[in-house]
Amino acid sequence: MYIKRAIEESIIKISKTFPVLLLTGPRQAGKTMMLKKLAEDSRKYVTLDDPDIRLLAKSDPALFMQRFTPPILIDEVQYAPEILPYIKMSVDSSGKKGDFWLTGSQAFHMMKNVSESLAGRVGIVNLLGLSSSEIGALKSEPFTTSPERLMSRLSAVQKMGINEIFNRIFKGAFPALYGEDAPDLSDFYRSYINTYLQRDIKDLTQVADETAFYNFMIIVAANTARPVIYEEIAKDAGISPPTAKKWMSILMSSGLVALVQPYNNNVLKRVTKMPLLHFLDTGLCAYLLKWGNPETLERGAMSGAFFESFVFSEIYKSYLNAGKEAPLYYYRDKEKREIDLLIYENGTLYPIEIKKAASPGTEAVKHFKVLNPVTEPERFGELEQYKIEIGNGAVICMANDLLPVDKKNWFVPVWMI
């Protein structure tokens, strides 16, 4: 069963704009299936997972290009970066848009080669796992706190209780888990980890110790929805802080984690500089941490962190699926006042708090006021041009309905995002 992906419109648009489309993202995110569906019979398909074809591409890229002519979809291009200069020569010669569609599970290995070899010729798109909108066959759009948008969406979405939400969190978002012949969860994630460590970490990076990297992944999973302190992560994983930073960048480029930067403004003087970590697939995160079922996860000590990372990943995907960079930040200061998420667009900040509670109360928005100084920077010795507006805020929670907190803020049920 094919689930229509929200990013398809962006794919077609970019293919009409650039000679080369590169679709990156984690393994099993559905890249190949989607591009095959969009291509139908209009282009050839070749995968560099095939050892013979990979050998040809690496040893004689010119002959490979003669054998596999555009329009073409080349899968797992990271295994033969040798063909990239030849793709450049081909597109420069033909001048056609959309001649080459490339996929790659490992952006960290490809991006340098792609940016150098195909500069100005490639449109890059990132695909993550399924969003709740895609699973529910709903219209997908970038998440905003606009009351009008929220009200219009209320009539389209289906309510979900805490058990249903944590079933979704525990299951994760990989498309293979939502098909009619879906594999056993534990079998799927065990195979996923083994393939990731063997094919991507061992073959494509300088990581020599797969076991140490696996242990590092577990430590990172345990830190989801928390600020990143590399020294602590390194100590827990038994590695050096520079190695922890390097390995974190691998997880980021693999599409497995995201680091949310703290919002920085000259008026806000005591803001922390640590990024906030989110594991992007909560199912994989739960598997790494050995949670056995959604019920124990929901009752466990990390349920709030999993809930927060789930909400973040849904909002993050809503922007990526629209072909946009996600304008997401968070706030934390030296007094440990926090705002879980900030959307910053068009000179306006939209604060979001994430609470795994049905009735969080007005206390949930108490820290939103720490942003007030940005609305009048001249009072704090800064230029008026640094002025930022504060827009509608939201408390994303387990409420049963969309309800106002006050004049500017709303309780937003998690099943609405």
Side-chain angles (χ1 to χ4, degrees):
M1 179 184 71
Y2 178 73
I3 297 177
K4 182 176 173 60
R5 304 305 301 266
I7 207 169
E8 290 179 11
E9 188 176 321
S10 295
I11 294 288
I12 298 300
K13 180 180 178 182
I14 287 174
S15 184
K16 290 178 179 178
T17 307
F18 292 92
V20 182
L21 164 78
L22 172 62
L23 183 62
T24 68
R27 283 190 171 276
Q28 298 289 325
K31 301 182 296 295
T32 304
M33 181 180 290
M34 179 185 67
L35 290 185
K36 280 184 169 181
K37 186 80 173 177
L38 291 176
E40 293 180 334
D41 298 322
S42 64
R43 62 181 63 228
K44 305 178 188 71
Y45 169 77
V46 60
T47 177
L48 298 181
D49 250 341
D50 184 311
D52 293 330
I53 294 176
R54 186 191 316 168
L55 178 62
L56 174 62
K58 291 179 73 67
S59 61
D60 196 340
L63 185 60
F64 174 89
M65 295 295 290
Q66 289 182 35
R67 170 67 180 82
F68 301 104
T69 55
I72 190 169
L73 164 56
I74 303 176
D75 209 4
E76 304 290 11
V77 72
Q78 75 272 10
Y79 290 123
E82 293 83 357
I83 66 174
L84 295 175
Y86 293 84
I87 291 176
K88 174 182 178 292
M89 288 187 285
S90 175
V91 299
D92 286 350
S93 174
S94 73
K96 293 180 181 177
K97 307 297 184 187
D99 256 359
F100 291 87
W101 287 4
L102 314 177
T103 79
S105 301
Q106 297 303 318
F108 61 83
H109 185 74
M110 290 188 300
M111 298 310 275
K112 184 178 179 181
N113 288 321
V114 169
S115 59
E116 290 176 355
S117 302
L118 300 174
R121 302 165 181 84
V122 60
I124 301 172
V125 184
N126 190 19
L127 179 70
L128 297 180
L130 294 168
S131 67
S132 289
S133 292
E134 290 171 322
I135 294 169
L138 300 171
K139 179 184 177 184
S140 179
E141 56 190 3
F143 178 85
T144 71
T145 58
S146 159
E148 293 76 21
R149 189 196 76 86
L150 293 170
M151 291 295 290
S152 67
R153 188 167 174 82
L154 185 60
S155 60
V157 296
Q158 185 174 353
K159 290 186 178 183
M160 298 174 70
I162 190 73
N163 293 336
E164 293 170 287
I165 291 295
F166 268 83
N167 279 335
R168 180 74 54 81
I169 288 172
F170 182 77
K171 188 174 184 177
F174 288 103
L177 299 173
Y178 290 85
E180 293 175 359
D181 53 348
D184 174 78
L185 267 183
S186 293
D187 291 343
F188 174 83
Y189 283 119
R190 186 183 305 111
S191 173
Y192 187 95
I193 292 292
N194 288 339
T195 303
Y196 178 66
L197 292 174
Q198 288 289 328
R199 298 291 302 277
D200 300 330
I201 299 306
K202 184 177 180 180
D203 293 351
L204 296 176
T205 72
Q206 302 302 311
V207 176
D209 191 339
E210 300 159 54
T211 303
F213 191 87
Y214 176 64
N215 184 51
F216 173 76
M217 289 179 69
I218 295 172
I219 301 300
V220 170
N223 280 274
T224 194
R226 293 177 58 186
V228 176
I229 304 174
Y230 284 108
E231 291 76 12
E232 291 184 5
I233 292 175
K235 182 180 178 182
D236 291 342
I239 56 178
S240 68
T243 299
K245 281 190 176 183
K246 177 184 174 183
W247 287 5
M248 186 72 79
S249 71
I250 291 174
L251 291 179
M252 289 173 60
S253 298
S254 302
L256 297 184
V257 304
L259 295 188
V260 188
Q261 296 304 316
Y263 176 72
N264 191 23
N265 185 294
N266 287 350
V267 181
L268 305 173
K269 303 293 186 183
R270 297 178 59 77
V271 176
T272 183
K273 292 181 169 58
M274 296 179 293
L276 186 69
L277 167 71
H278 282 294
F279 221 91
L280 288 172
D281 191 274
T282 52
L284 179 58
C285 190
Y287 175 80
L288 286 167
L289 296 176
K290 302 297 185 287
W291 290 101
N293 56 63
E295 292 77 24
T296 54
L297 177 60
E298 189 273 319
R299 294 193 300 266
M302 288 193 68
S303 63
F306 270 83
F307 187 81
E308 187 176 332
S309 287
F310 171 73
V311 170
F312 170 82
S313 67
E314 287 293 312
I315 293 175
Y316 185 60
K317 282 184 272 195
S318 77
Y319 282 89
L320 294 186
N321 287 342
K324 295 183 176 182
E325 187 173 342
L328 304 179
Y329 302 86
Y330 87 109
Y331 178 91
R332 180 184 171 99
D333 61 26
K334 301 295 173 57
E335 286 74 37
K336 296 187 178 179
R337 295 175 297 187
E338 296 184 27
I339 301 173
D340 292 328
L341 205 56
L342 294 167
I343 299 175
Y344 178 49
E345 278 195 304
N346 302 317
T348 303
L349 277 172
Y350 303 91
I352 297 172
E353 193 66 18
I354 304 169
K355 296 289 185 185
K356 185 207 145 197
S359 304
T362 56
E363 282 284 294
V365 300
K366 67 179 181 180
H367 289 159
F368 289 4
K369 64 179 182 293
V370 301
L371 300 173
N372 289 343
V374 303
T375 64
E376 39 186 0
E378 62 276 7
R379 282 190 56 196
F380 300 89
E382 298 293 341
L383 297 175
E384 188 179 354
Q385 67 200 52
Y386 291 120
K387 181 176 181 179
I388 303 291
E389 297 294 332
I390 307 296
N392 291 104
V395 180
I396 299 177
C397 57
M398 282 304 307
N400 288 320
D401 205 348
L402 178 67
L403 297 168
V405 181
D406 51 39
K407 289 183 179 179
K408 290 198 70 173
N409 304 298
W410 291 76
F411 291 122
V412 179
V414 64
W415 38 265
M416 282 191 62
I417 60 175

